[in-house]
Amino acid sequence: MTFALKGPPLEGTLVRLEQLDHRHAADLAAAAEEDRGGYAYTWVPRADEVGAYIDAQLSRAASGRLAPYAQISLATGRAVGATAYWEPRSWLTDDALDAIEVGFTWLAGSAQGTGLNAEAKLLLFRHAFEVWQVSRVDLKTDARNTRSRAAIEKTGARLEGVLRNWSRSWAPGEEGRLRDSAIYSITAAEWPERRERMERRVRSAADALTPRR
């Protein structure tokens, strides 16, 4: 038996992660156009590209290398972004997962800073470590993307280094070029402490959204 990468639905108090599908296209088209000021180094489709974007992610999913999600705001019921499990690695045995990446993440401008991203990461990490029993979860981003790096570092992930010319650049005007990638990880031994840290962040964000009497 070989491990098959399939991302199950995951739900918290702020966000629900469900398998990306064309039913999310209209919401994602609106979300992607809210405020594009923070997308300089991130692959976020324009409204008229969302259909092709979903097709591309579903094609990667069919290859077994990606499990793409739509991020659904529980406050509104609308898709406000995307994320994914990516690059599953089985080194010791074919039927168990040793490592996985979390990536392809973006959120609408209005959803940024609300705790949705923190809880989405918590849900993804928790499933990877506690259900799939992985030894590590890794994340990477354009080394120039200080905003993304700051968000990753808030999870407690450790910077392992910057790999030069490591992956495709998504920066405008850099089509066909490679970028330097900052690589971060959390290991299974670190996960209990990181989980507590992330749960505190999510509780704080949820409390901030609760109306005061």
Side-chain angles (χ1 to χ4, degrees), residues 161-183:
V162 174
L163 302 183
R164 297 178 297 170
N165 293 340
W166 180 250
S167 56
R168 173 180 177 176
S169 174
W170 298 104
E174 294 187 359
E175 293 78 9
R177 294 175 56 183
L178 298 175
R179 73 181 193 191
D180 294 349
S181 292
I183 310 296

Side-chain angles (χ1 to χ4, degrees), residues 52-116:
Y53 167 86
I54 293 174
D55 284 340
Q57 294 297 70
L58 294 181
S59 177
R60 290 184 173 93
S63 76
R65 297 180 61 207
L66 183 80
Y69 286 101
Q71 298 199 55
I72 312 298
S73 166
L74 292 180
T76 66
R78 297 177 65 85
V80 294
T83 192
Y85 286 120
W86 173 234
E87 295 286 16
R89 279 149 284 154
S90 298
W91 292 307
L92 301 179
T93 176
D94 288 342
D95 60 0
L97 193 63
D98 295 308
I100 191 80
E101 180 178 334
V102 169
F104 288 103
T105 301
W106 64 272
L107 279 174
S110 61
Q112 295 173 21
T114 64
L116 266 72

Side-chain angles (χ1 to χ4, degrees), residues 7-211:
L10 302 170
E11 185 167 326
T13 59
L14 302 172
V15 66
R16 181 173 67 255
L17 302 181
E18 55 187 44
Q19 184 176 358
L20 181 67
D21 186 83
H22 281 283
R23 71 181 182 277
H24 302 117
D27 283 353
L28 292 179
E33 294 294 342
E34 279 189 9
D35 178 1
R36 298 189 64 86
Y39 299 153
Y41 303 108
T42 305
W43 182 33
V44 181
R46 302 300 311 224
D48 61 354
E49 298 169 340
V50 167
Y53 167 86
I54 293 174
D55 284 340
Q57 294 297 70
L58 294 181
S59 177
R60 290 184 173 93
S63 76
R65 297 180 61 207
L66 183 80
Y69 286 101
Q71 298 199 55
I72 312 298
S73 166
L74 292 180
T76 66
R78 297 177 65 85
V80 294
T83 192
Y85 286 120
W86 173 234
E87 295 286 16
R89 279 149 284 154
S90 298
W91 292 307
L92 301 179
T93 176
D94 288 342
D95 60 0
L97 193 63
D98 295 308
I100 191 80
E101 180 178 334
V102 169
F104 288 103
T105 301
W106 64 272
L107 279 174
S110 61
Q112 295 173 21
T114 64
L116 266 72
N117 182 55
E119 186 170 53
K121 291 290 193 299
L122 171 62
L123 295 172
L124 292 165
F125 293 174
R126 187 169 62 197
H127 185 81
F129 283 117
E130 299 176 16
V131 178
W132 288 335
Q133 299 285 301
V134 300
S135 292
R136 64 176 275 143
V137 170
D138 42 269
L139 309 96
K140 67 175 181 286
T141 189
D142 193 306
R144 300 167 294 181
N145 193 342
T146 55
R147 185 173 187 170
S148 177
R149 292 179 67 165
I152 291 171
E153 288 165 4
K154 285 180 181 179
T155 70
R158 179 181 297 182
L159 176 66
E160 296 185 332
V162 174
L163 302 183
R164 297 178 297 170
N165 293 340
W166 180 250
S167 56
R168 173 180 177 176
S169 174
W170 298 104
E174 294 187 359
E175 293 78 9
R177 294 175 56 183
L178 298 175
R179 73 181 193 191
D180 294 349
S181 292
I183 310 296
Y184 293 82
S185 71
I186 296 174
T187 67
E190 296 166 340
W191 171 238
E193 188 278 334
R194 303 304 193 269
R195 174 176 173 164
E196 290 184 8
R197 179 190 305 193
M198 296 176 74
E199 287 175 341
R200 288 196 297 270
R201 286 187 61 210
V202 172
R203 283 196 299 269
S204 178
D207 289 345
L209 295 175
T210 302

